[in-house]
Amino acid sequence: MQDKQYPNVYYIQDLKYVKMFVPTILNALGIWPSLGKRKSICKRLVDYLFSFLSYSLIFASIIPSSLFWVFKGTTHTRVRMFTPFAYSIVIVSKYSILILSQDQIRRCLKYVEEDWKNVVNNDERNMMLEAARVGRRLVAISMSFYCSSIMSVRLIPLLYLGKIVDQYNVTIRLLPSPAYLFSLDIQATPVYEIMYSLQGAYGIVSASIATGGIGLIIIFVMHACGQLKILMNLMSEFSEDLQQKEVDKKLANIVEHQIRIRNFLQVVDHALRQISFLEISIGSLIMSIQSYCILTEFENSNSMVIIFFTISYCTATISVFIFCYVGNQLILQAEKVALMSYELEWCRLPDRKARQLLLVIIMSNKPMKITAGNFLDLSLKTFGDIMKTSFAYLNMLRNTIG
């Protein structure tokens, strides 16, 4: 039943619309924070169980592949395997960061929940819904690319290539990632079937972690964009009516809203900047190495492997682009707020009120942005720099490896 004590009586369905399927994904990983009362002992035990299973599936795939990379791989094989190996390390890191950042993520979600509860009119609600609609589309796009990449890497070896015969006339059944377990024969039944199932389950877990991380960032940053639109609306109303009895109240609303947005973004940046940095770093690495692998496989005329590498390359590119696009939307919206602050008619106010408004203008011109590990600003300019860097590394690989 809807809670009538809040201005927005539709806040429950609005919150469900905003969050989409991100809570379901993170609940399945055991890392969705509780927004109400403390989690019960039973719920905490279930979360620990899900976390244990997720870590187990990740390491059950990483360890055999790492052993193959160290003991069995050739130079060409190691180059091809380096990207999934590095991606696995990043997945473990992202999952650990999400677990350790649950309190900060809870604070961010509390901000979002309170903002939706306290929407005062339909115009503001529509502004927030418009920003949320863009966020939902971005989450759906990122999830579709992650899932397509996982499905391609897990199913191509089984459905298309099936079995191969090596130079010693030995039939080899392919795995999504090569594996080695010392004296244990990977090709024997049921070891092969178990390993293939574990690697498939790992693919689902890794896609869930990646989608959950990018989904949280999209939800929070697009929510901030919606709040900035409301701030612009408050500034517009302030300029329309400068009657003495209303000035203090309107100015207080603007300052309070502006401070709240900045505090929210500070919490978001602190909670998820490591996730952004890892995603940007591994995305740049994947774009460099996968483009090298595509060029190499063109020489071997291996069409299905080229398709697989292309899907992986596109997924990394889209992922990095979405991070940078979302950050760029925040920067653009903040610039619109700064521009509107210059249009406030301070000259029509008494001197004391005009000086107070000057502080609002100064605050409005302070940049708002999300960073990747405090090193890079998430923006389309950063995306362009990353693309240039990936091509530079591609040329370095071609010249070094040949």
Side-chain angles (χ1 to χ4, degrees), residues 160-204:
Y160 179 79
L161 299 176
K163 303 175 182 179
I164 63 172
V165 179
D166 65 9
Q167 65 268 30
Y168 304 106
N169 203 30
V170 176
T171 301
I172 298 176
R173 293 184 289 180
L174 297 177
L175 287 168
S177 297
Y180 175 64
L181 290 173
F182 298 108
S183 60
L184 195 62
D185 185 7
I186 295 293
Q187 295 296 312
T189 300
V191 178
Y192 172 83
E193 287 75 10
I194 292 173
M195 184 59 63
Y196 194 97
S197 300
L198 289 174
Q199 291 189 359
Y202 159 72
I204 296 173

Side-chain angles (χ1 to χ4, degrees), residues 284 288 382-395:
S284 304
S288 302
T382 300
F383 177 73
D385 294 339
I386 290 170
M387 293 298 293
K388 294 175 185 176
T389 304
S390 68
F391 284 117
Y393 281 127
L394 169 61
N395 290 328

Side-chain angles (χ1 to χ4, degrees), residues 365-380:
N365 282 270
K366 186 179 179 182
M368 294 187 189
K369 57 189 178 183
I370 296 293
T371 64
N374 251 3
F375 294 109
L376 297 171
D377 297 339
L378 294 182
S379 66
L380 291 181

Side-chain angles (χ1 to χ4, degrees), residues 11-39:
Y11 78 88
I12 293 179
Q13 66 191 58
D14 289 343
L15 285 170
K16 288 180 179 178
Y17 179 82
V18 169
K19 295 173 186 176
M20 207 176 179
F21 38 69
V22 173
T24 304
I25 293 172
L26 295 183
N27 264 320
L29 295 170
I31 51 178
W32 182 255
S34 173
L35 297 182
K37 299 178 293 184
R38 289 190 61 187
K39 291 182 179 180

Side-chain angles (χ1 to χ4, degrees), residues 4 11 36-37 112 127 141 156 187 197 203 221 272 274 305 308 320 378 401:
K4 299 294 184 180
Y11 78 88
K37 299 178 293 184
V112 174
M127 292 176 191
I141 291 171
I156 283 177
Q187 295 296 312
S197 300
V221 176
L272 298 175
Q274 296 94 338
V305 177
F308 156 63
V320 173
L378 294 182
I401 301 175

Side-chain angles (χ1 to χ4, degrees), residues 245-281:
K245 59 181 180 180
E246 295 291 335
V247 166
D248 289 336
K249 181 180 178 181
K250 289 183 177 181
L251 191 57
N253 287 339
I254 290 173
V255 172
E256 181 181 353
H257 200 78
Q258 198 168 48
I259 292 174
R260 181 175 176 81
I261 295 171
R262 290 190 176 275
N263 290 340
F264 171 65
L265 286 173
Q266 186 176 10
V267 176
V268 171
D269 189 51
H270 186 67
L272 298 175
R273 62 190 175 194
Q274 296 94 338
I275 299 287
S276 303
F277 177 74
L278 289 171
E279 192 67 39
I280 294 295
S281 301

Side-chain angles (χ1 to χ4, degrees), residues 355-368:
R355 285 194 294 270
Q356 293 173 352
L357 189 58
L358 181 61
L359 295 176
V360 173
I361 296 173
I362 293 172
M363 187 182 295
S364 298
N365 282 270
K366 186 179 179 182
M368 294 187 189

